[in-house]
Structures are given as structure tokens and as C-alpha cells.
Amino acid sequence: MTHERQVFTVGLWIVKPGKEEIFVKKWEEFARWSLENLEGSRWVYMVQDLEQKNRFISFGPWDSLEAVAAWRQTPEFASSIAELRELCDEVTPGTMKEVAHLTR
């Protein structure tokens, strides 16, 4: 797959204060299920803001938009996202394409 066609799913999560630990645990369970049970997901990261401790960003590459759509249509996706949303004040999902890739 060329760089121009690489797609990523991205989530911006503002977690309710005090719920950060349970949020990370639930997110890891969901991410592990996604990686083990679906084709097209390569890896996934969750990062936490060092200053705003309840702000997280998740992201990972997918083989295709079709793989992303299939993932989002599973009952497990719907139930996991509902659980995660309950722990958050704000959730902003996205699908993005790679426009630049630099390495050292």
C-alpha cells in the first residue's frame, strides 16, 4: 500500500476526572479484541497528555477504508464504544489519511 492510501482511525478522548485508569483498561480490552479478531488493523497506540491527565489520543493504521467500516459495524464495536463514552465527557472519532511520513 502506498503512503497516499494509508488510513488511520483516531480518537480524541476527554475522560471524566478520576476515571482515567478504568478508561485505559477498558480501551485496552477493546483494542486487544480489535487486533485479535479483525483483519486490517495493524497496531494501535493510546497516548495521554502530560499536562491534562484526562486527555487521551488513540490512533492506528488500517489496510483499507473497507476494513475500518467492517470494524465499526460489529456489535462489539458498538458496545465497547458505548462503555467508553460513559467514562468520557467528550469523544471525537475520526478517520484520516497519511499525507506525510518522516523517519529518522
Side-chain angles (χ1 to χ4, degrees), residues 4 15 32 34-35 39 46 48 50 59 63-64 72 79-80 86 92-93 103:
E4 296 79 33
V15 178
R32 189 172 298 110
S34 298
L35 288 169
E39 295 294 323
M46 169 73 76
Q48 181 181 27
L50 291 174
F59 57 96
D63 290 341
S64 67
R72 289 180 172 155
S79 64
S80 294
E86 288 179 17
T92 307
T103 59

Side-chain angles (χ1 to χ4, degrees), residues 21-56:
E21 189 174 315
I22 188 69
F23 169 78
V24 171
K25 181 182 176 204
K26 292 285 186 186
W27 182 87
E28 285 178 331
E29 291 170 2
F30 172 52
R32 189 172 298 110
W33 174 85
S34 298
L35 288 169
E36 292 174 355
N37 292 285
L38 294 160
E39 295 294 323
S41 177
R42 298 182 186 178
W43 51 261
V44 63
Y45 273 45
M46 169 73 76
V47 294
Q48 181 181 27
D49 192 309
L50 291 174
E51 294 177 13
Q52 185 182 340
K53 301 287 187 194
N54 68 328
R55 183 174 183 246
F56 297 84

Side-chain angles (χ1 to χ4, degrees), residues 73-85:
Q73 292 172 4
T74 64
E76 293 85 357
F77 177 89
S79 64
S80 294
I81 292 298
E83 280 186 42
L84 292 167
R85 281 185 185 273

